Amino acid sequence: MSNTDFALAVEGLTVSFDGFKAIDDLSLYVDKNELRVIIGPNGAGKTTLLDLICGKTRASRGSIKFNNHELSALPEHTRVRRGIGRKFQTPSIYENLSVFKNLEVSYPKGRSVLGALFFKCDEAVLGRVRKVAEEIGLADALYTEAGLLSHGQKQWLEIGMLLMQEPELLMLDEPIAGMSARERELTAALLQRICKNRSVIVIEHDMDFVKQIAHKVTVMHQGKILAEGSMEKVQADPRVIDVYLGH
């Protein structure tokens, strides 16, 4: 497979903080419509990798190609426009606005909250809000104030806010942290739905959840990739057992 066929091709990526290589000559290839899970012990560099892909952190060396376009020099907001959506560990939703308004202000037309409050909510936006609300399981809560949602629903709303921008690559950092068992099940189903027409990268610690959702698992350790493949394959890898599952 040539590098042009991947949604995301990261090559030779390195970033140092005060002489410490947080990411060390790392290469990663993600297919279109693939759900990739990245696992690894704390300090392995998982979140830093997402920071580099979305442009929050600049690499010292290496290449990040998205749909075959080099991103390394582009600022974060340009990468968002190119179709990269990133959800951080703590949800950033507008607690005092309804679910509907949260989704509406996320529509690309109104990039700033102010701009969003003044643009006309036309049919295209309305259609998109309804479609996304359906997808994230909040169609019945459109007029509920976001602050009143359960923890899991807040996480889904934030995923929905990213989906409003129709990203081609969605990156989620520990999406099920703090969720109930039922919410975890629903999140697994949600992730399987949304990777039908985009690539999704998830950082996760919960191995049962990883098993449920991953097309492919990447194990990171000390800023490098230690192993990659199906969950069965990486779980059986002696190096992975040594650094990760053995502890």
Side-chain angles (χ1 to χ4, degrees), residues 7-24:
L8 180 74
V10 171
E11 295 185 325
L13 205 60
T14 300
V15 69
S16 301
F17 302 121
D18 304 321
F20 165 73
K21 282 186 179 171
I23 298 289
D24 187 3

Side-chain angles (χ1 to χ4, degrees), residues 203-217:
I203 290 176
E204 193 43 70
H205 283 295
D206 184 305
M207 291 302 145
D208 293 329
F209 186 72
V210 175
K211 260 190 207 125
Q212 274 184 311
I213 63 165
H215 295 172
K216 196 171 181 184
V217 178

Side-chain angles (χ1 to χ4, degrees), residues 13 37 103 105 107 120 135 174 185 222 234:
L13 205 60
V37 182
L103 294 173
V105 299
Y107 192 78
K120 207 170 101 293
E135 212 166 3
E174 294 189 40
E185 273 170 40
Q222 294 175 344
V234 301

Side-chain angles (χ1 to χ4, degrees), residues 2-3 11 64 71 78 102 113 126 132 140 147 156 171 178 235:
S2 79
N3 292 353
E11 295 185 325
I64 301 169
L71 298 184
T78 311
N102 268 280
V113 179
L126 217 65
V132 168
D140 297 338
W156 301 332
M171 301 191 289
Q235 270 185 313

Side-chain angles (χ1 to χ4, degrees), residues 43-60:
K46 302 183 297 293
T47 299
T48 306
L49 176 60
L50 299 198
D51 288 346
L52 289 164
I53 296 168
C54 78
K56 188 172 176 241
T57 302
R58 284 292 171 92
S60 336

Side-chain angles (χ1 to χ4, degrees), residues 75-94:
E76 200 168 351
H77 64 91
T78 311
R79 299 188 199 196
V80 170
R81 273 193 224 119
R82 289 276 172 95
I84 293 181
R86 163 86 185 274
K87 179 186 170 336
F88 295 89
Q89 279 165 331
T90 43
S92 54
I93 57 174
Y94 302 108

Side-chain angles (χ1 to χ4, degrees), residues 134-149:
E134 194 71 48
E135 212 166 3
I136 58 173
L138 293 179
D140 297 338
L142 272 178
Y143 301 102
T144 304
E145 202 174 291
L148 301 174
L149 298 173

